């Protein structure tokens, strides 16, 4: 950044102007700091595969012009958390990050993959042992089981501590979608880590809890119902949310 021009104040002397210039020369040079490693001329990457599979005949004039610009403009590197894989799932990625300890994401991903594999093995064993009529009701897709299990564990209403008259009251309050999903994941991981036997491997414990939650059973579902009962018992304090 260039140094601004120094001008003498009205009525000032030339000596003061010279002193200011001397002091300014001794100051370290000021440089502009950019928070990104990429300049403004870099374009954001496109991760979606469907964008590249679109035929040229179906492209609009704006999309054709955008493709021509890509030939000459540099593109930023895609983040490590983004992927174009068909198996990518943001909910599973979030669950893996919450399960991670000490930044060891490779171990967390391995445990998550083993959990999904254990889910599929258990459901396939149950599927082959069932009759023809019962096989139609058995879900073998581990992704469907995982999402439905978390959906069943999400609480609808929670308790918020509010200070009124020098006392803290547990006031029932509806929960946002992000908060519901966070509590469901937190309860599931806490149940597997702290309440189960330590000699049992994490994929085995987690797959068992997911299957129980998939059928609306287990301690995580009970914990959700307990929160709803406490909110129902404190419904007389609901007006503290506004007062």
């Amino acid at each position: 950044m260039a140094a601004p021009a120094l001008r003498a104040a009205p009525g000032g002397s030339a000596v003061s102007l010279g002193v200011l210039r001397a002091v300014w020369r001794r100051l370290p040079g000021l440089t502009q700091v950019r928070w990104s490693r990429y300049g403004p001329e870099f374009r954001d990457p496109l991760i979606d595969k469907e964008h590249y599979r679109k035929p040229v005949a179906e492209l609009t004039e704006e999309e054709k012009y955008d493709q021509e610009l890509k030939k000459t403009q540099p593109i930023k590197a895609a983040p490590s958390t983004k992927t174009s894989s068909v198996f990518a799932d943001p909910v599973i990625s979030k669950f893996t990050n919450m399960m991670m300890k000490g930044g060891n994401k490779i171990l967390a991903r391995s445990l998550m993959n083993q959990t999904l594999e254990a889910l599929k093995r258990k459901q396939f064993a149950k599927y082959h042992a069932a009759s023809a009529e019962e096989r139609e009701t058995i879900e073998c897709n581990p992704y469907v089981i995982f999402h439905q299990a978390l959906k069943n564990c999400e609480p609808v209403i929670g308790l918020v501590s509010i200070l009124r008259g020098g006392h803290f009251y547990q006031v029932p309050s509806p929960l946002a979608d992000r908060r519901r999903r966070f509590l469901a994941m937190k309860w599931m991981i806490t149940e597997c880590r702290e309440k189960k036997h330590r000699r049992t491997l994490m994929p085995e414990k987690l797959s068992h809890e997911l299957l129980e939650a998939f059928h609306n059973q287990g301690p995580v579902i009970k914990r959700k119902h307990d929160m709803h009962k406490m909110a129902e018992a404190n419904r007389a304090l609901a007006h503290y949310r506004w007062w």
Side-chain angles (χ1 to χ4, degrees):
M1 181 184 297
L6 297 175
R7 298 181 181 275
S13 61
V15 178
S16 60
L17 182 58
V19 172
L20 288 175
R21 285 177 176 173
V23 171
W24 183 264
R25 290 194 188 99
R26 293 184 180 180
L27 291 176
L30 301 178
T31 57
Q32 185 178 3
V33 178
R34 191 173 62 223
W35 291 105
S36 176
R37 61 182 295 186
Y38 301 104
E41 69 276 5
F42 282 78
R43 298 171 58 90
D44 293 329
L46 290 176
I47 312 298
D48 190 10
K49 283 185 176 181
E50 298 300 329
H51 176 78
Y52 300 98
R53 292 175 179 173
K54 196 173 182 180
V56 181
E58 299 180 3
L59 296 177
T60 61
E61 293 297 330
E62 184 179 356
E63 291 176 343
K64 291 181 180 179
Y65 178 73
D66 188 65
Q67 283 191 354
E68 291 296 327
L69 288 179
K70 287 182 181 178
K71 297 179 181 179
T72 57
Q73 290 183 343
I75 301 177
K76 299 178 183 178
S80 60
T81 56
K82 301 293 183 180
T83 177
S84 58
S85 173
V86 296
F87 299 102
D89 194 324
V91 180
I92 292 183
S93 299
K94 177 66 176 176
F95 192 88
T96 304
N97 292 339
M98 292 185 62
M99 192 168 53
M100 178 175 55
K101 271 190 173 182
N104 195 348
K105 196 165 188 176
I106 296 178
L107 176 61
R109 284 177 177 171
S110 175
L111 293 176
M112 195 67 222
N113 292 335
Q114 294 177 33
T115 300
L116 296 176
E117 182 180 353
L119 281 175
K120 196 164 188 176
R121 289 182 181 274
K122 291 179 180 179
Q123 291 301 94
F124 265 121
K126 185 178 179 181
Y127 178 84
H128 291 300
S131 60
E133 293 80 9
E134 296 176 349
R135 288 182 177 182
E136 298 179 357
T137 61
I138 298 177
E139 180 61 55
C140 296
N141 190 346
Y143 292 93
V144 176
I145 297 175
F146 178 82
H147 285 280
Q148 186 61 40
L150 285 184
K151 191 69 176 177
N152 294 341
C153 294
E154 292 180 1
V156 179
I157 192 170
L159 297 173
V160 179
S161 295
I162 296 181
L163 179 62
R164 290 292 183 273
H167 296 278
F168 283 96
Y169 296 95
Q170 298 295 324
V171 179
S173 175
L175 300 176
D177 293 339
R178 293 182 59 184
R179 181 64 179 174
R180 296 179 189 178
R181 186 166 57 250
F182 170 78
L183 288 177
M185 294 181 180
K186 179 183 176 182
W187 291 345
M188 185 70 65
I189 296 173
T190 304
E191 181 65 29
C192 295
R193 281 181 177 168
E194 300 179 0
K195 305 298 179 63
K196 299 299 179 183
H197 200 278
R198 294 187 61 183
R199 291 185 178 271
T200 308
L201 298 179
M202 184 65 176
E204 184 66 26
K205 295 187 288 186
L206 187 55
S207 60
H208 176 71
E209 289 299 326
L210 288 173
L211 282 176
E212 283 198 336
F214 178 72
H215 298 291
N216 275 317
Q217 300 173 359
V220 182
I221 299 295
K222 182 179 181 298
R223 189 168 182 177
K224 180 189 76 170
H225 293 331
D226 291 343
M227 176 174 282
H228 288 173
K229 289 179 182 178
M230 292 177 62
E232 181 68 19
N234 294 355
R235 65 184 184 274
L237 307 175
H239 61 282
Y240 284 158
R241 289 176 53 202
W242 301 279
W243 289 5

